[in-house]
Amino acid sequence: MSANAADADASAGGGGPAVAASSYLHDGYSLWSWISSRDHKRIAILYALSITAFFFIGAVAAGLIRLELFTPVADVVDADTYDRLFTAHGVIMVWMFLIPSIPSVFGNFVLPLMIGARDLAFPNLNLLSWYLYAGGGLFTIAAMLLGGVDTGWTFYTPYSSIFSNTHVILTLAGVLVVGFSSILTGLNFIVTVHTLRAPGMGWFKLPLFVWAIYATSVILVLATPVLAITLLLLAAERIFHIGFFNPALGGDPLLFQHLFWFYSHPAVYIMILPAMGVASEIIPCFARKRVFGYKFMAFAIVGIAVVSFLVWGHHMFVSGQSVYANMVFSVLSFVVAVPSAIKVFNWTATLYKGSITFSAPMLYALGFVILFMAGGLTGLFLASLSIDVHVTDTYFVVAHFHYIMVGGSVMAYLGAMHYWWPKITGRMYAESWARVAALIIFAGFNLTFFPQYLLGYDGMPRRYHTYPEQFQLLNILSSSGAVVLAIGYLLPLGYLLWSLRHGERAPDNPWRATGLEWQTSSPPPQHNFDRQPDGSAEPYDYTPHRGIHQ
């Protein structure tokens, strides 16, 4: 379908079939045609549906946590149930939503389009990775339905290895299987970027989103096996009583923490690097300017990926680590802030004197930058030894983590969803509702988590279901913000589903964006492009005459 034909079709209004006959959406309508498809676009939709389901399951657990914390006493759930709730929330949100969200959905859908490829390098492996993800997620949900697990999402030993009588093994199995899904996905992306780029597309003509997914994939392939080995050792100690972590058997409980955080700190950047890539696509598009310092942005992505492997010890400042090791990890934690700051400054410079349009994707991208910057600055507090000792295991850490992960990754995920929704579905959503939702989410998020900085600084520990009355006011504010945030998250679910049937037809390029993904029809055909695209154009070549569809 040509661009002119698509634009003419879009001007005809919202009636009639939603997509062109050659669209990937018309490649069979049965359930089997979807769950057996090797098309990267259909697999991305399968991931989106699965991830959305897990997100709302994890959100229900979070809602019950905030409901319990509305008052200082235990009046909703008891201590054991509370432990299971925050563990379920952490496990589901980290491994079933945050880590796979942007790479598995938008990496799958748009990365081949962005580099001019017909599909990923290994389509069968791509489908297998979704089956592993869905299977691992079901393992974890089964553990929750059978009674849950109370170890916390970090599974710290020796509690998780010898003391807990909950469903630790089943939960570990779920996380382990999901980890293998991540490894396969990362491997697929790496090979695709190396081998399937369009003619003329050198490394410094790649969109920054592709750079971000590539760096994320390298972390996935290198770090996730460490998590797999760690979980297998934990299971072996629990089942066969082999002394890896139990001091009574000759093990070392701190070994688990070193292994776990060697994976889990790079995992923070598995969650945030793709979000940075999304912001790097949206901001120049809606500012109508080239990205400021493109090469610096690309090298900053690589720098973050490298340094992320060197800072795991800052999670263990109070664990008995030597003061010299603590000093080294503290300095390295400050170092990792440098490439992150480069990206924030370059986004700001891109906005400077730009012709900015505050469409929904831009609101989400700006929300991401603001909340990520707030979370990153408080990360410097935690990198400082004297402050970290004071706020370790308090709600200050909870707030910092959520500003990065929820304020950052989820805002970027929603920004990506709104930015590429016309390309994915061939429909436009209600722009006014999308803007309202973005503002509600931003306000609700800050009302939920900013009071938690104050709670943590005042000394309220995390993971307790009761607390002194002096903390109640801030907890009321936080729980009230969670209600606002929930409303904000439900709104996009409503108007995006509504747009599938009633939304205006989307032109091929409603944002007048650069990038090869906008040079094919909306939604794309099964084979992505009618002819091999030329990848030699400079990325982000925005000129003032290019308007934005409203």
Side-chain angles (χ1 to χ4, degrees):
M1 187 183 208
S2 69
N4 291 336
D7 287 341
D9 188 43
S11 66
V19 292
S22 61
S23 152
Y24 78 97
L25 293 173
H26 278 136
D27 185 21
Y29 300 97
S30 66
L31 177 62
W32 177 251
S33 71
W34 280 87
I35 64 175
S36 64
S37 175
R38 275 71 168 174
D39 187 343
H40 68 98
K41 301 179 289 297
R42 287 199 162 205
I43 294 172
I45 301 299
L46 294 175
Y47 268 114
L49 294 174
S50 307
I51 283 168
T52 301
F54 285 120
F55 175 81
F56 281 104
I57 293 171
V60 168
L64 291 172
I65 292 169
R66 288 315 318 170
L67 184 61
E68 172 57 53
L69 294 175
F70 198 83
T71 61
V73 297
D75 49 11
V76 177
V77 296
D78 59 21
D80 286 341
T81 304
Y82 186 83
D83 289 346
R84 287 164 170 78
L85 282 174
F86 74 69
T87 302
H89 171 68
V91 169
I92 291 171
M93 284 301 200
V94 170
W95 280 296
M96 312 305 161
F97 177 75
L98 288 170
I99 287 177
S101 58
I102 296 176
S104 295
V105 177
F106 300 105
N108 254 311
F109 197 99
V110 302
L111 184 142
L113 293 168
M114 282 182 154
I115 64 174
R118 295 173 66 90
D119 207 315
L120 291 176
F122 305 115
N124 290 327
L125 203 64
N126 195 24
L127 181 62
L128 175 62
S129 69
W130 176 74
Y131 273 105
L132 289 174
Y133 167 78
L138 291 177
F139 268 113
T140 306
I141 296 300
M144 306 306 167
L145 294 176
L146 291 172
V149 62
D150 61 359
T151 61
W153 72 274
T154 54
F155 301 107
Y156 271 2
T157 57
Y159 181 62
S160 61
S161 61
I162 57 175
F163 291 111
S164 178
N165 58 4
T166 56
H167 297 279
V168 176
I169 296 297
L170 189 56
T171 307
L172 292 178
V175 175
L176 184 68
V177 172
V178 169
F180 278 103
S181 169
S182 298
I183 293 171
L184 295 183
T185 299
L187 177 65
N188 215 342
F189 288 155
I190 290 170
V191 176
T192 300
V193 173
H194 274 279
T195 62
L196 297 182
R197 301 195 305 274
M201 181 173 281
W203 282 95
F204 290 109
K205 291 184 179 178
L206 290 174
L208 288 169
F209 181 75
V210 176
W211 273 103
I213 294 295
Y214 181 84
T216 301
S217 300
V218 172
I219 298 174
L220 284 169
V221 170
L222 294 180
T224 309
V226 178
L227 175 68
I229 293 169
T230 306
L231 297 181
L232 288 173
L233 292 178
L234 176 56
E237 177 163 297
R238 190 172 176 88
I239 298 171
F240 303 112
H241 305 290
I242 302 172
F244 296 114
F245 310 117
N246 182 7
L249 299 173
D252 182 359
L254 289 184
L255 174 62
F256 177 87
Q257 292 189 34
H258 279 291
L259 292 172
F260 180 86
W261 288 115
F262 183 81
Y263 160 80
S264 292
H265 195 82
V268 171
Y269 296 99
I270 293 172
M271 306 175 209
I272 207 66
L273 277 173
M276 291 177 170
V278 169
S280 299
E281 297 300 314
I282 294 174
I283 288 174
C285 175
F286 291 91
R288 314 314 297 169
K289 281 184 63 182
R290 292 178 183 268
V291 167
F292 181 86
Y294 168 87
K295 288 188 177 181
F296 279 95
M297 295 281 269
F299 285 129
I301 290 171
V302 175
I304 290 170
V306 171
V307 181
S308 71
F309 282 94
L310 306 177
V311 295
W312 79 90
H314 71 212
H315 294 275
M316 302 172 62
F317 283 159
V318 297
S319 68
Q321 227 173 207
S322 77
V323 66
Y324 303 106
N326 282 349
M327 290 172 63
V328 170
F329 282 120
S330 177
V331 171
L332 289 171
S333 299
F334 280 98
V335 169
V336 79
V338 174
S340 299
I342 288 171
K343 300 191 74 62
V344 173
F345 287 134
N346 283 25
W347 289 324
T348 305
T350 303
L351 291 168
Y352 180 64
K353 291 188 176 180
S355 180
I356 300 173
T357 303
F358 291 102
S359 296
M362 186 61 151
L363 292 178
Y364 281 111
L366 294 177
F368 157 76
V369 173
I370 294 168
L371 298 177
F372 168 74
M373 186 169 59
L377 288 173
T378 54
L380 298 179
F381 284 62
L382 295 172
S384 174
L385 287 168
S386 58
I387 298 177
D388 186 83
V389 169
H390 174 66
V391 299
T392 288
D393 275 337
T394 70
Y395 266 87
F396 191 95
V397 178
V398 175
H400 159 72
F401 183 83
H402 282 80
Y403 262 83
I404 297 289
M405 295 299 98
V406 182
S409 294
V410 178
M411 287 292 278
Y413 179 80
L414 291 171
M417 185 66 73
H418 287 75
Y419 182 60
W420 282 303
W421 184 261
K423 181 58 59 179
I424 294 170
T425 67
R427 293 286 189 173
M428 301 300 297
Y429 47 81
E431 178 67 25
S432 57
W433 277 107
R435 293 177 182 178
V436 168
L439 296 174
I440 289 175
I441 290 172
F442 185 82
F445 176 85
N446 282 287
L447 183 57
T448 302
F449 292 105
F450 188 79
Q452 295 181 16
Y453 278 128
L454 304 179
L455 285 167
Y457 187 78
D458 286 341
M460 180 176 169
R462 60 180 175 176
R463 299 186 174 181
Y464 283 78
H465 73 308
T466 60
Y467 55 85
E469 290 186 4
Q470 69 198 61
F471 298 132
Q472 184 173 11
L473 177 59
L474 290 172
N475 272 296
I476 288 173
L477 289 175
S478 184
S479 295
S480 301
V483 175
V484 177
L485 190 59
I487 294 170
Y489 285 148
L490 287 171
L491 280 175
L493 183 65
Y495 62 71
L496 290 177
L497 290 176
W498 179 90
S499 74
L500 292 176
R501 184 170 182 85
H502 304 288
E504 177 189 350
R505 297 281 185 81
D508 292 347
N509 191 357
W511 316 126
R512 296 295 183 260
T514 62
L516 296 183
E517 78 268 31
W518 302 106
Q519 294 183 21
T520 187
S521 59
S522 296
Q526 299 164 26
H527 49 278
N528 290 347
F529 298 96
D530 292 331
R531 58 182 179 276
Q532 176 70 63
D534 179 15
S536 62
E538 293 295 324
Y540 311 108
D541 183 18
Y542 288 100
T543 52
H545 70 272
R546 291 181 175 177
I548 292 176
H549 174 87
Q550 292 290 347

